[in-house]
Amino acid sequence: MSTLFSQIIAREIPADIVYEDDQVLAFHDINPQAPTHILIIPKKPIATLNDLTEKDQALVGRLPLIAARLAKQLGFAEEGYRVVMNCNDAGGQTVYHIHMHLMGGRRFTWPAG
Ligand code: 5GP
C-alpha cells in the first residue's frame, strides 16, 4: 500500500531532502520535535519493523549509519542526539513505511513519553 513516504520518494509531494542514495532517502520532518528532526527511510516500502526479514538486514543497518553521518555533518554528533523508530499504534507509528527519526539540537529526557 502506498504511503506518503512513497510519494516523497517518487517526488509526487515535496520534501526538504538532505540525503539520498540508491537505497535510502532522508528529509526534514514536517512537524519537528527538536531543532533538527530528520526522517531516514529505506526506499523499499516496508510497513513496520515487524515486517523486516533477514534480507533487509543490510538495508536497515544503513539507517543508523546515515543518522550518525548526518549528525556529524550538522554539528550535534558530539553533544548527542536521539534516534527513534516507532512500531505500530502503541509505539506511536503514524506512517506505515519504516523510518528512523534523527533528532538533535536539544537535550532529551529518558524514559521517552
Ligand atoms: P511516526 O509517527 O510514524 O513515527 O513518524 C511519522 C513522521 O512523519 C512524523 O514525525 C510526522 O511529523 C512526519 N510527517 C507526516 N507527514 C509528513 C509529510 O508530509 N512530510 C514530512 N516531511 N514529514 C511528515
Side-chain angles (χ1 to χ4, degrees):
M1 202 157 66
S2 180
T3 67
L4 68 93
F5 289 176
S6 294
Q7 293 175 283
I8 288 174
I9 292 165
R11 307 298 204 271
E12 290 167 4
I13 59 174
D16 185 0
I17 293 168
V18 294
Y19 176 84
E20 181 169 26
D21 64 31
D22 58 333
Q23 298 178 82
V24 172
L25 190 71
F27 50 90
H28 285 279
D29 196 294
I30 204 167
N31 183 25
Q33 302 301 310
T36 299
H37 185 169
I38 290 169
L39 301 171
I40 306 165
I41 71 171
K43 289 185 175 176
K44 179 180 175 182
I46 302 166
T48 79
L49 289 176
N50 294 335
D51 300 303
L52 289 173
T53 69
E54 292 289 330
K55 283 184 298 188
D56 300 314
Q57 190 164 268
L59 173 62
V60 175
R62 287 189 64 70
L63 304 183
L65 277 175
I66 292 163
R69 188 186 301 169
L70 288 169
K72 285 177 196 147
Q73 285 173 6
L74 294 165
F76 54 75
E78 290 307 316
E79 72 183 50
Y81 54 94
R82 176 71 52 88
V83 292
V84 174
M85 294 183 82
N86 298 324
C87 185
N88 277 340
D89 186 46
Q93 186 173 8
T94 59
V95 179
Y96 284 79
H97 179 132
I98 62 166
H99 48 280
M100 177 169 280
H101 297 257
L102 166 64
M103 292 171 282
R106 69 170 171 89
R107 178 163 290 276
F108 295 90
T109 57
W110 191 260

